[in-house]
Amino acid sequence: MGKHIVILGGGTAGTMAANRLCRTHGEGEVRITVVDQDGDHIYQPGLLFVPFGAARPDRLVRSRPRQLHPAVDYKQAPVERVDLDTHTVRLGGGITLGYDVLVVATGARLLPEETEGLTGDGWGEKVLTFYDLPGAEGLRAALDRFEGGRIVVDVADLPVKCPVAPLEFAFLADWYFRRRGIRDRVRLTYATPLDGAFTKPVAARTLGGLLERKGIELVTEFTLGEVDGAGGRMVSYDGRELSFDLAVVVPLHGGAAYVGRSEELGDELDFVPVDPHTLQHPDHPEVFAIGDAAGLPASKAGSVAHFEGETLVRNIGRFLAGRPLDAAYDGHANCFVETGFHKALLIDFNYETEPLPGHFPAAVGLPLLKESYANHLGKLAFERFYWHGLLPGREPAGIGSAMPERGKKHLPA
């Protein structure tokens, strides 16, 4: 029957990994089991557009098992814990799975309850998030009835999924209210725990400049400590306050709860520590992690899971064959940043190289760190590519997992 590969998580990372493994290994070489607690696969990049009426919620959800190769065994059950000593996974309902290789791909979960007052008065009404489907739908109703006042878009703390998405929300809010003709009655504020609009100097200057040009206030080094929904106040850990009429909050993130219940599997945030280049657990060589579940100094974005996948699949094969692993993953990530008015910019970076201007994937290609209609079309086209290309494990021609150097202009920080 072959070696048993168990993948915990049937989201972007887990589905791509399972399908790629099926394409790589012939029938009978391995058995692949994917486990998830529910059957709904959500296209998470689409959540950003729901509050602005630019995406239909029902079009973002598809069947989880139907995205998997027919040879993959899908089990719908919660994960109770992983026993690393016995190489077993305990699921709800008394099910136990043994594994030869374990891949943790259960992503990141939202932890709004960890911030004082966030889920108290006003939660779901004037304090919302677009990082899950109910919150995104609630925000659409809240924006529709909003006639003026201050909106604060706040990132509670890092790490979070898709770090550019909160910026995109602020840009799209500017576009949305200008389209409604009431932008002069709306004060937009973007609050971040970072010391700039983004993590890297060149990108921070570009994105910070966009905020300024669009009249969006930037508040830096604001780490959210408390929310007073009834009083319309956010309080940072250093005591600063931001008043609001509507708060759009990206809550604290953590790894899956079962990781914390599994001795030696995760870190203090319940993410799984792995070698940043091989994706292998440092103390348990049969364990790998991919996507948002991995405790890496890389962006928690879908593109990261895609670029990691090539290294993961190759290294699982090498591990099963008793060969040295390939330290090939370089932290490559790229993201379309929607900026409103049918424009977007594109950033491309890795562990060592920050987002730079130029073009992707080569000297002739999409413009980097520059607003364009072409990038906006790329963002929209990505949804179809996601369902029909990335998830099935197909590789786009001309775009490898390693970050391309061609086309980039290196500038002083």
Side-chain angles (χ1 to χ4, degrees), residues 108-121 123 127 129 132 156 224-227 237 249-257 261 269-270:
R109 62 188 172 117
L110 307 183
L111 301 172
E113 67 282 355
E114 294 296 319
T115 298
E116 184 177 351
L118 180 54
T119 57
D121 291 342
W123 179 244
V127 182
T129 185
D132 60 25
L224 187 60
E226 179 186 352
V227 176
Y237 277 105
V249 180
V250 179
L252 294 171
H253 283 39
R261 297 191 296 266
L269 296 177
D270 294 337

Side-chain angles (χ1 to χ4, degrees), residues 345-348 356-360 366-370 375 407-408:
L345 56 80
L346 177 63
I347 56 176
D348 188 70
L356 295 171
H359 292 84
F360 176 87
L366 292 172
L368 292 167
L369 275 181
K370 182 180 179 180
N375 284 333
K408 290 186 169 64

Side-chain angles (χ1 to χ4, degrees), residues 240-291:
R240 287 179 293 159
E241 294 189 7
L242 292 174
S243 62
F244 64 83
D245 297 289
L246 178 64
V248 181
V249 180
V250 179
L252 294 171
H253 283 39
Y258 76 85
V259 175
R261 297 191 296 266
S262 305
E263 190 175 354
E264 297 185 5
L265 181 59
D267 60 19
E268 65 278 2
L269 296 177
D270 294 337
F271 296 116
V272 177
V274 290
D275 182 280
H277 300 292
T278 67
L279 308 178
Q280 183 184 47
H281 196 287
D283 301 316
H284 300 276
E286 71 285 348
V287 176
F288 296 81
I290 185 174

Side-chain angles (χ1 to χ4, degrees), residues 272-338:
V272 177
V274 290
D275 182 280
H277 300 292
T278 67
L279 308 178
Q280 183 184 47
H281 196 287
D283 301 316
H284 300 276
E286 71 285 348
V287 176
F288 296 81
I290 185 174
D292 295 349
L296 293 176
S299 178
K300 292 191 180 300
S303 66
V304 169
H306 168 225
F307 294 134
E308 288 172 337
E310 182 179 315
T311 298
L312 176 85
V313 169
R314 184 165 55 247
N315 279 341
I316 287 175
R318 286 174 174 263
F319 172 78
L320 291 175
R323 299 167 57 197
L325 269 55
D326 186 2
Y329 180 61
D330 64 357
H332 188 197
N334 59 24
C335 304
F336 288 104
V337 184
E338 191 73 10

Side-chain angles (χ1 to χ4, degrees), residues 25 30 39 79 102 137 198 265 279 300 335 341 352 360 380:
H25 296 275
V30 298
V79 180
L102 178 71
E137 292 180 286
F198 197 65
L265 181 59
L279 308 178
K300 292 191 180 300
C335 304
F341 303 95
E352 303 297 331
F360 176 87
L380 298 183

